[in-house]
Amino acid sequence: MCGIIAYIGNRPCRDILIEGLKRLEYRGYDSAGVAITCTGGDGSTRICKTVGRVADLEAKLDADEPKLDGTLGLAHTRWATHGAVTDPNTHPHTDDTGTICLVHNGIIENYQSLKKLLEEKGRVFRTETDTEVLATLISELYDPDHGMDLEAAVQAALREVTGAYAIAAISSKDPDTLVVARKGSPLIVGIGNGEYIVASDGSAIISHTSRAMTLDDYSVVRLSRDGLRTSTIDNVELSPKVMQLEIELGEIELGGFEHYMRKEIFEQPRALRRTMSGRLDMNEGCVVLGGLQTHAKELVRSRRVIICGQGTALNAGMIGEYLFEDLAKLPTEVEYASELRYRNPLIEEGTVVIAVSQSGETADTLAALHEVMDRGALGLGVINVVGSTISRDTDAGVYLRVGPEIGVASTKAFTGQVTVLTMMALFLARRRMMSGTEVTAFMRELERVPDHIEKTLEQDDAIRTLTEKYIHRENWLFLGRGYNYPTAMEGALKLKEISYIHAEGMPAAEMKHGPIALIDDGMPVVFIATQGAQYDKVVSNIEEVRSRGGHVIAVATEGDEDIRRLAEDVIYIPPCPEPLSPLVAVVPLQLIAYHAAVLRDKDVDKPRNLAKSVTVE
Ligand code: M6R
């Protein structure tokens, strides 16, 4: 939610900020703005902002005279929380004297009471945002002539604040200082040659430097052209934690694809090979997960697993529930993190909580993880973004290694999550009851999944034609059973989030308990009807839909000719063991959603009202 970038150094930063905003635009794209302390002239800070996309901001900047540029600046792309999407509510924000200029990602929960106090002191507000309140609070405390410089004022203000924030602040009275801070929302500091680039994630930094500093909650960093100082909001000095960013430019560029989502769908075979690389030991018949090694004994002795996440991550977690019970024989439940965090859950000894999250920043998932870990559970992460908050707050975990996912609709992260959960289940199964031979046989099948996905992707044109046929239908159902009930959920989520077509996913049997009333002549119903324990039951459900006029689109296993008798359209996937079938069956559903969005002329990578990472409740 919201992307932040800021720069201090010796280069003109306008283009650096705009390029960074474009990389961060997936985080929010309601409106965008930039503030730059101008080189030359009176050295004042000028702001340019607009409702719309970063491209609109760029056009506005191009038209601006005199040209806005300088060597200190900050910029923001917004996903609105407080206040409508308007120019005044767009970041950066200043206080009423124009001294402090601020960009912010997160929510200041006590902004109303702070605003009241500041109004009583005569301060004036012009926006509906919590960020303007924070800028005003910093300005109220700012008194450089009496030792309250920008760093000290930011620290003091943040001591008054409850909520989440990643901020970057500058003062019109101090053209040599940039102060940044974080709690709960992501922020890293790229360390270049005589310059610093601060951003919500590494994608906005990597074209300038691969050295970056991670920040813990409650950290404040003062950056100048001469160096940096890191402290807590209580001014306790901290040593910087520097890491190497492991992002390649090619991974965050479109590379000839029309959309990131399409690129990421087609990247899945390569991405999953990387997820598995070095982790499947065929000789020993076991899965090697370095991230879990230190807690292996505790894990083997565990008695119960709780998997939590939101959206696609939850759907992956639901498949994890089947995998853990089926393969590792471990009682497992899966729950929306947003519910788990407030449910007062009963946690006995031997409980393991697994937080599944692509970004590693989802607020609800993070809070649920803390809640359950505080009650004594061992906390594990299944995370894509290295160094993200959840990955740092867990006891141990396994990274997806699928590379940056930029399209808002999650695709390769989903298959990465399911692959990691499969490996985790096998890791435990081998230590609990499965023999090395059995595990090796299973791993051989897992290793073949990328080939199956490649074969499925070859049907892209046919899937586009099929989608075209149903493109004017406003309601779709996605049905599956067992392992493929979550696949159905994921297919429906993909379709609705990027094409805005109403879609529901559910267990095929549930249809008879109400939703069947929706089925009429022409309603597309997608069945995941691959070979497996409940195949015959799925076929019966297909018959029920057919007899009510629904159009059946079946995702079936190659060689199943019978299904043609029942389904108008069939998409075949290669045969694989049932627990692995979601990894392949989801691919045609991703393609249906993608083509539907393109055919309906929707913004595939930036669907309305959404943002890639949901860092608010
Ligand atoms: O970063 P996370 O995996 O924690 O994000 C969770 C959900 O917000 C995310 O999966 C969302 O549902 C996707 N947009 C779905 O495509």
Side-chain angles (χ1 to χ4, degrees), residues 165 181-186 215-220 231-233 238 366 370 389 392-393:
Y165 52 79
R182 75 160 289 214
K183 185 210 150 202
S185 301
L215 307 184
D216 288 330
D217 277 352
Y218 303 105
S219 308
V220 177
S231 60
T232 66
I233 58 170
L238 301 169
L366 180 64
H370 285 162
T389 310
R392 286 190 278 140
D393 287 4

Side-chain angles (χ1 to χ4, degrees), residues 310-313 356-359 362 408-410 417 493-494 497 614:
Q310 296 291 142
T312 287
V356 182
S357 171
Q358 188 285 132
S359 62
T362 299
V408 165
S410 198
Q417 286 157 353
L493 175 59
K494 284 294 86 87
E497 82 174 313
V614 184

Side-chain angles (χ1 to χ4, degrees), residues 160-371:
E160 304 299 320
V161 153
T162 55
Y165 52 79
I167 61 164
I170 54 177
S171 154
S172 60
K173 293 184 184 155
D174 185 353
D176 294 314
T177 306
L178 167 67
V179 175
V180 303
R182 75 160 289 214
K183 185 210 150 202
S185 301
L187 201 68
I188 55 174
V189 178
I191 305 169
N193 196 1
E195 63 184 12
Y196 298 104
I197 303 133
V198 182
S200 302
D201 74 41
S203 66
I205 293 175
I206 195 66
S207 57
H208 306 286
T209 177
S210 60
R211 279 186 78 215
M213 196 176 111
T214 57
L215 307 184
D216 288 330
D217 277 352
Y218 303 105
S219 308
V220 177
V221 190
R222 186 192 65 213
L223 302 152
S224 74
R225 293 175 185 86
D226 300 326
L228 62 80
R229 176 179 185 269
T230 314
S231 60
T232 66
I233 58 170
D234 295 316
N235 200 27
V236 176
E237 197 152 344
L238 301 169
S239 343
K241 289 186 195 161
V242 178
M243 66 163 194
Q244 280 300 116
L245 293 174
E246 286 175 12
I247 303 171
E248 282 170 29
L249 262 185
E251 290 180 325
I252 51 174
E253 280 167 357
L254 276 168
F257 282 89
E258 209 181 325
H259 299 102
Y260 280 105
M261 182 186 181
R262 184 165 174 80
K263 178 182 181 232
E264 287 156 9
I265 291 173
F266 278 81
E267 262 173 10
Q268 288 177 109
R270 193 161 52 94
L272 297 191
R273 284 188 189 109
R274 212 163 44 194
T275 305
M276 291 182 251
S277 168
R279 289 168 162 173
L280 308 181
D281 184 339
M282 298 297 177
N283 294 328
E284 295 296 321
C286 64
V287 172
V288 184
L289 296 173
L292 300 186
Q293 218 55 51
T294 46
H295 292 273
K297 283 212 173 89
E298 234 170 313
L299 273 168
V300 175
R301 287 191 211 112
S302 59
R303 295 198 209 129
R304 175 185 172 216
V305 175
I306 303 175
I307 304 178
C308 66
Q310 296 291 142
T312 287
L314 183 90
N315 293 338
M318 285 166 67
I319 298 170
E321 181 182 18
Y322 285 87
L323 289 162
F324 276 76
E325 297 209 331
D326 218 4
L327 304 178
K329 309 285 180 240
L330 203 55
T332 304
E333 63 213 72
V334 61
E335 191 163 349
Y336 285 105
S338 55
E339 293 301 311
L340 179 62
R341 65 182 290 190
Y342 290 118
R343 195 171 51 81
N344 199 11
L346 298 176
I347 305 300
E348 311 105 17
E349 213 186 316
T351 303
V352 177
V353 58
I354 304 179
V356 182
S357 171
Q358 188 285 132
S359 62
E361 303 291 347
T362 299
D364 284 316
T365 310
L366 180 64
L369 175 80
H370 285 162
E371 183 65 38

